[in-house]
Amino acid sequence: MIVNALTGKFLHITDIHLDLDYVEGSDPNELCHRGNGAAGRLGAVGTKCDSSLALVEKTFDFIKKKFSDVDFVIYTGDSARHNRDDSQPRSMKNIINEQKVVVKHFTDIFDSNVYPVIGNNDVEPHNSCEENDEQFQTIASIWEPLKLNTTSGDFEQGGFFYEDVVPGKIRTIHTNTLHFYKDNKKSKADCKKSHSMGTIHLKWLQQVLEESRQQGYSVYILAHIPPTSKKGKAYYTDDCLESYLELLGTYKDTVVGHFAGHYNNDILSAIVEEDGKYTQLSALKKKNTIQRKDIKSGNFITPLFNTPSVIPTFNPSVRVFKYETQKTGEYPVGTILDWHQYYLNLDDNGQDYELEYQASKLFKVNRFDGKGIAQVFTVMMDNQDVHEKYLDHVTVNTDDDDSDDD
């Protein structure tokens, strides 16, 4: 909970994927665990390797130097490394230790005001959890230094909770999107059966949104896995996806932003309403498939922000948002007004983070609510240069073929 004067800035960081077994000078084809090769001290960009400790330390050094004054931090999950190495499989001890190291880096800078969600690689087996999963209590213990609202039965049952980040103004809702995720192997994602965790989670989400609306809060929804992939493929089951998007649309007057990670790219999208139905439209969609008649400011209602990751699938990145702090302002409190994207250019052997772009200057808009996102889409349709720059930023200006990843 914020008690100091507001700066109107918050930090979004995601998908750190710390690998404490990373070996500098090892072979990226061996997941940077052994052999001889091009694994650099700060990582092996564009490979399947996870993040070195040196990269994580560099990232938090930059944050401490530049952004220790932000109002709060949202962290959309995945502290632990992937389980990709059959010759050196990760253990529960690895997962716990890597999460603890990440939390310690946060608390070394921020006494509190750090707000995480559970990532699909923060559990074992990855992608999977179930009702009353004992791992929720393990994670709550790891997060204890962050002083979160995880002592409720909601977190014990499903790994979700909410926080009043700016009392009386902004609430963060911390979802556990594994309950909607097609690849959850422990508990089949289902949002039709009344007793399923998908349905239970959605009912809880609706209840918190309704309470937030009645209490006059603006809401940021935090998720690890977004509803769809960068290419529009549904990550959630069909019934979960439909119900989730409907909630985002129904509470368009309350939800001022949706923030996620997972696929490492920089993606901007929005919930679009048409004849009472809600869909997600991504700016990554090919330009000639977006019809001008579909871009109506009234149709675009809820912005979805996917911040690129720290793990060097692409160049490592962190983002600082600027938001509306006053209810009496031109826009609702919490409205995203701008963001600055910072990256570490490993392609060119960069040694420190630098500004990649400023959203308001790139897209030529002064706020990123539904109407602002509609303007962004229009700008990219009309200005080929802006559209091409956006496509470069999707992969954080990395020389890469942009393959799918999680």
Side-chain angles (χ1 to χ4, degrees):
M1 180 185 299
I2 296 172
V3 295
N4 298 320
L6 298 176
T7 66
K9 298 182 296 183
F10 69 88
L11 174 71
H12 185 189
I13 184 170
T14 194
D15 291 81
I16 291 175
H17 287 293
L18 171 62
D19 184 359
L20 292 174
D21 295 315
Y22 182 101
V23 178
E24 181 183 355
S26 61
D27 185 356
N29 292 322
E30 298 289 343
L31 286 307
C32 297
H33 288 160
R34 57 195 164 271
N36 297 310
R41 185 178 71 87
L42 296 178
V45 67
T47 73
K48 292 292 185 181
C49 296
D50 289 293
S51 298
S52 68
L53 180 59
L55 172 60
V56 175
E57 290 173 340
K58 170 68 71 175
T59 302
F60 279 94
D61 284 346
F62 174 72
I63 291 170
K64 183 176 183 179
K65 180 173 63 177
K66 297 282 290 186
F67 305 119
S68 60
D69 66 336
V70 295
D71 293 334
F72 56 92
V73 179
I74 59 174
Y75 175 45
T76 46
D78 266 5
S79 297
R81 75 169 172 96
H82 293 87
N83 194 22
R84 292 169 169 161
D85 190 346
D86 292 337
S87 299
Q88 195 171 326
R90 69 178 193 170
S91 65
M92 199 65 204
K93 183 178 179 181
N94 293 137
I95 298 167
I96 292 172
N97 286 344
E98 286 157 359
Q99 290 186 69
K100 284 182 175 179
V101 171
V102 170
V103 168
K104 181 64 165 57
H105 277 291
F106 278 120
T107 56
D108 282 347
I109 302 173
F110 307 99
D111 178 53
S112 57
N113 300 333
V114 176
Y115 301 103
V117 298
I118 296 172
N120 65 305
N121 286 286
D122 294 330
V123 293
E124 182 62 30
H126 74 290
N127 301 330
S128 303
C129 67
E130 59 190 349
E131 185 174 6
N132 297 314
D133 199 306
E134 62 182 13
Q135 292 182 95
F136 298 152
Q137 289 305 303
T138 301
I139 291 171
S141 177
I142 294 169
W143 287 353
E144 187 174 359
L146 302 177
K147 306 170 187 174
L148 301 168
N149 182 30
T150 54
T151 57
S152 68
D154 300 323
F155 193 82
E156 183 177 350
Q157 181 185 25
F160 41 81
F161 64 107
Y162 70 88
E163 296 279 348
D164 293 342
V165 176
V166 183
K169 294 184 177 181
I170 298 176
R171 176 171 287 166
T172 50
I173 298 180
H174 304 239
T175 63
N176 183 354
T177 47
L178 294 178
H179 296 307
F180 312 135
Y181 192 34
K182 290 179 177 179
D183 291 343
N184 188 339
K185 298 177 180 64
K186 272 190 177 181
S187 175
K188 184 179 178 181
D190 186 296
C191 294
K192 291 182 178 178
K193 297 177 182 176
S194 61
H195 63 277
S196 72
M197 273 309 302
T199 299
I200 291 169
H201 193 0
L202 287 172
K203 286 183 177 179
W204 172 87
L205 178 57
Q206 182 176 18
Q207 178 183 346
V208 178
L209 285 170
E210 183 60 32
E211 290 175 355
S212 301
R213 173 188 276 171
Q214 296 301 322
Q215 295 166 1
Y217 274 93
S218 292
V219 166
Y220 292 152
I221 292 183
L222 311 186
H224 176 65
I225 303 170
T228 66
S229 76
K230 57 181 174 275
K231 296 180 180 177
K233 178 183 176 182
Y235 280 134
Y236 303 170
T237 62
D238 290 344
D239 48 323
C240 292
L241 177 64
E242 181 180 355
S243 297
Y244 190 82
L245 296 182
E246 184 175 354
L247 278 178
L248 293 183
T250 300
Y251 288 91
K252 60 188 176 184
D253 59 328
T254 303
V255 179
V256 294
H258 182 284
F259 304 85
H262 185 60
Y263 49 53
N264 308 313
N265 294 84
D266 184 341
I267 303 291
L268 183 61
S269 59
I271 303 300
V272 179
E273 182 179 7
E274 190 69 45
D275 298 327
K277 297 289 185 180
Y278 301 101
T279 58
Q280 182 181 349
L281 183 62
S282 170
L284 188 61
K285 195 172 181 181
K286 289 183 179 179
K287 205 170 124 179
N288 59 6
T289 66
I290 299 175
Q291 302 299 316
R292 188 173 298 279
K293 64 181 178 62
D294 296 329
I295 304 179
K296 305 170 187 175
S297 62
N299 288 20
F300 283 62
I301 55 177
T302 307
L304 285 76
F305 306 98
N306 266 79
T307 293
S309 60
V310 172
I311 181 178
T313 303
F314 309 110
N315 285 317
S317 185
V318 298
R319 177 178 292 181
V320 176
F321 282 100
K322 178 183 177 183
Y323 70 100
E324 178 61 65
T325 62
Q326 300 297 327
K327 288 186 176 179
T328 57
E330 185 179 356
Y331 312 112
V333 65
T335 299
I336 298 301
L337 304 176
D338 201 1
W339 70 83
H340 289 75
Q341 190 71 42
Y342 297 88
Y343 78 126
L344 181 61
N345 191 350
L346 295 182
D347 273 337
D348 292 335
N349 298 312
Q351 295 303 303
D352 208 349
Y353 281 83
E354 59 186 288
L355 180 66
E356 183 190 6
Y357 71 93
Q358 181 179 348
S360 61
K361 291 184 177 180
L362 173 64
F363 298 119
K364 300 175 175 53
V365 300
N366 62 359
R367 90 279 193 202
F368 292 85
D369 55 3
K371 291 182 179 179
I373 300 296
Q375 290 178 14
V376 169
F377 275 65
T378 301
V379 167
M380 286 199 286
M381 286 194 68
D382 292 340
N383 190 321
Q384 181 68 25
D385 182 58
V386 172
H387 188 254
E388 289 179 356
K389 286 180 179 177
Y390 168 73
L391 294 179
D392 287 338
H393 295 316
V394 165
T395 55
V396 200
N397 281 291
T398 308
D399 297 330
D400 192 273
D401 62 2
D402 190 18
S403 58
D404 281 309
D405 200 13
D406 59 3

